[in-house]
Amino acid sequence: MQVKVVESRAERSVFVNLPWSLYSNDSLWVPPLKASVRQVLDSGKHPFYQEGGAEVELFLAWEGDRPVGRIAAIVNHEFNRFHVSNEVHFGFFECIDSVQAARALFEAVENWTRKRGSEAVSGPFNPSTNYECGLLVDGFDRSPVVMMTYNPRYYPDLVEGADDALGVELRAAVATEPLAHGAVGTADGAEDRLGVGHAGDQMITRAPGGGE
């Protein structure tokens, strides 16, 4: 198992295309627009990275000549300034059902984090809270919707196997009847009062990753 930094245009295409092999037998998966993924990963052009707002490094896990996983290490300087923190985010995580592969990817991010003197790793953010974030841990019987993540059932075990811990729980709900404008308050209140079904839970993980 080898994890390498994405350097070439061809490797970037492998990074973008990897989910199509992982989800080929998943009828619920809705593929993203490849052009949109390429755009949000383009640190030279996308507004997220402009004026020193953020940095990104992409990694691919290889088993021989076969790509088996991917992950991005993201420094969101605006997030760190606002929260007075010094952390690195991971995102765009995809992997075969292999703890070894997942651990190798997270170790690459953690090593990158330590080299930058950062204090922790959290995620997934794709690439920030203004986009898709979190890891699906419940509600696998539904297709994903806009701005909600989707992943195989085994992903939570892979993340836990890489020594990440649950930090923040995100909840999603689906309305079973039309809702009036401004009717939804908290997720729990919506489910209880407005005929809203529980669509699934997601989590953001957090683990030490910086200096000792």
Side-chain angles (χ1 to χ4, degrees):
M1 187 73 60
Q2 263 190 319
V3 175
K4 299 180 180 179
V5 174
V6 171
E7 296 179 334
S8 68
R9 186 171 181 176
E11 290 169 342
R12 185 171 290 264
S13 291
V14 172
F15 188 98
V16 171
N17 292 329
L18 181 62
W20 272 258
S21 62
L22 297 178
Y23 294 89
S24 60
N25 295 319
D26 190 335
S27 61
L28 294 178
W29 182 60
V30 178
L33 296 173
K34 292 184 181 181
S36 296
V37 178
R38 290 182 185 277
Q39 287 172 359
V40 80
L41 294 174
D42 190 343
S43 59
K45 296 181 180 179
H46 196 277
F48 175 64
Y49 308 98
Q50 298 306 300
E51 299 181 3
E55 303 171 54
V56 64
E57 188 83 274
L58 308 180
F59 299 91
L60 280 168
W62 297 85
E63 198 171 64
D65 59 357
R66 180 172 75 105
V68 294
R70 74 178 196 185
I71 201 167
I74 303 156
V75 180
N76 187 338
H77 296 297
E78 293 296 333
F79 177 97
N80 284 336
R81 279 192 285 268
F82 182 83
H83 293 279
V84 194
S85 61
N86 182 23
E87 64 182 61
V88 168
H89 294 162
F90 74 88
F92 301 95
F93 172 71
E94 302 286 359
C95 191
I96 62 171
D97 190 2
S98 165
V99 172
Q100 180 187 6
R103 186 171 294 156
L105 286 165
F106 281 107
E107 284 178 355
V109 172
E110 289 166 0
N111 290 336
W112 193 80
T113 297
R114 281 190 285 270
K115 289 178 181 178
R116 306 183 74 82
S118 296
E119 298 169 352
V121 179
S122 62
F125 298 96
N126 303 327
S128 76
T129 54
N130 293 323
Y131 298 83
E132 295 176 356
C133 61
L135 188 74
L136 188 67
V137 297
D138 185 35
F140 294 99
D141 58 335
R142 295 179 179 272
S143 294
V145 296
V146 175
M147 295 297 290
M148 299 301 295
T149 56
Y150 181 80
N151 50 259
R153 292 175 182 269
Y154 62 81
Y155 273 29
D157 290 335
L158 292 187
V159 174
E160 291 172 9
D163 296 327
D164 283 86
L166 176 63
V168 179
E169 184 176 0
L170 310 175
R171 304 201 73 190
V174 58
T176 56
E177 58 186 60
L179 301 178
H181 177 70
V184 178
T186 65
D188 286 333
E191 290 178 14
D192 293 340
R193 300 191 310 272
L194 300 170
V196 176
H198 183 203
D201 293 333
Q202 296 174 308
M203 69 176 181
I204 293 175
T205 61
R206 182 179 177 84
E212 301 297 322

